[in-house]
Amino acid sequence: NAGVTQTPKFQVLKTGQSMTLQCAQDMNHEYMSWYRQDPGMGLRLIHYSVGAGITDQGEVPNGYNVSRSTTEDFPLRLLSAAPSQTSVYFCASRRLSTGQGYQFFGPGTRLTVL
Amino acid sequence: GIQVEQSPPDLILQEGANSTLRCNFSDSVNNLQWFHQNPWGQLINLFYIPSGTKQNGRLSATTVATERYSLLYISSSQTTDSGVYFCAVELTGGGNKLTFGTGTQLKVEL
């Protein structure tokens, strides 16, 4: 199993540009989520999904869109990038069944917005 | 929302020393996990431990849900243990949102 994969690893954008961060998992996990990590801070939840066709907002959703058309994929879209979105982005997945709660993270995408 | 506090924020150890990291949370939880973020930024799950005690090699964790805290023990620390340790919790009935603490930065020196 590849686990949770993310592309790209690094990205530089100009203010106002749009882009999509890709995330995929091959563990058949119902739950997928996106976090951002800023220096000196923990991870903050952006959006999450409990299954295909179902998404919801986390703690810091503004400026980001998500969709979940398949169990495997959960892309994160930045519609109009701003310098405040410079961060490291992590995708994660886990089972929702009780006692199966281990969360697995992808390697991260380091995004710089100029 | 739920508050997750970790202590200490920073810790420096000599190789071979033991340490205890603490995570306090403000409400009833049905999911608590400990993660290690290595110096290269990779996040690795250590324990899924909403209650009770678990051990994995030199690491062990205990969660006392009724008193709203969890402890991570590292024994005989090694330089490879360096990095940031995060506690993350999900409120009972909290809609599947895993909230992270701000972490404990650990440095193990020779």
Side-chain angles (χ1 to χ4, degrees):
Chain A
N1 288 350
V4 181
T5 58
Q6 291 183 237
T7 56
K9 286 188 170 55
F10 302 93
Q11 183 70 49
V12 179
L13 292 178
K14 294 180 179 177
T15 296
Q17 287 185 315
S18 63
M19 79 159 296
T20 299
L21 280 64
Q22 301 292 343
C23 174
Q25 53 93 9
D26 61 358
M27 297 173 281
N28 202 31
H29 287 168
E30 304 94 335
Y31 183 92
M32 296 185 74
S33 56
W34 278 100
Y35 290 83
R36 61 177 288 172
Q37 185 177 29
D38 300 304
M41 300 182 71
L43 281 76
R44 293 184 292 169
L45 183 64
I46 304 172
H47 285 286
Y48 67 98
S49 168
V50 297
I54 306 169
T55 63
D56 207 345
Q57 296 181 349
E59 181 184 356
V60 288
N62 292 342
Y64 307 95
N65 278 357
V66 292
S67 60
R68 183 105 178 262
S69 57
T70 67
T71 300
E72 295 79 17
D73 301 299
F74 191 45
L76 179 72
R77 298 183 187 85
L78 283 70
L79 300 178
S80 179
S84 60
Q85 294 178 304
T86 294
S87 190
V88 181
Y89 291 85
F90 290 96
C91 180
S93 74
R94 71 175 194 261
R95 291 198 187 282
L96 284 176
S97 305
T98 301
Q100 301 285 340
Y102 275 103
Q103 181 146 298
F104 297 88
F105 280 88
T109 295
R110 187 173 295 272
L111 175 67
T112 301
V113 183
L114 302 175
Chain B
I2 191 167
Q3 303 299 313
V4 185
E5 296 179 352
Q6 292 187 242
S7 60
D10 299 280
L11 187 58
I12 300 175
L13 299 174
Q14 295 296 310
E15 196 172 44
N18 303 327
S19 62
T20 301
L21 282 58
R22 187 176 180 104
C23 173
N24 291 336
F25 44 95
S26 59
D27 213 329
S28 174
V29 300
N30 62 5
N31 186 343
L32 187 148
Q33 300 186 42
W34 283 96
F35 295 89
H36 175 220
Q37 187 170 37
N38 64 25
W40 297 271
Q42 186 181 8
L43 281 154
I44 300 164
N45 50 34
L46 299 175
F47 293 102
Y48 167 74
I49 187 165
S51 63
T53 297
K54 290 185 178 179
Q55 181 157 7
N56 184 2
R58 296 181 296 103
L59 302 181
S60 64
T62 295
T63 297
V64 183
T66 53
E67 297 187 20
R68 298 182 182 166
Y69 72 88
S70 183
L71 302 174
L72 178 69
Y73 305 96
I74 304 174
S75 65
S76 304
S77 58
Q78 300 175 358
T79 56
T80 52
D81 295 330
S82 296
V84 184
Y85 289 81
F86 290 106
C87 166
V89 304
E90 180 181 305
L91 271 178
T92 300
N96 299 306
K97 297 180 183 180
L98 200 62
T99 299
F100 279 72
T102 53
T104 292
Q105 174 87 51
L106 174 64
K107 183 175 182 182
V108 181
E109 299 177 333
L110 291 171

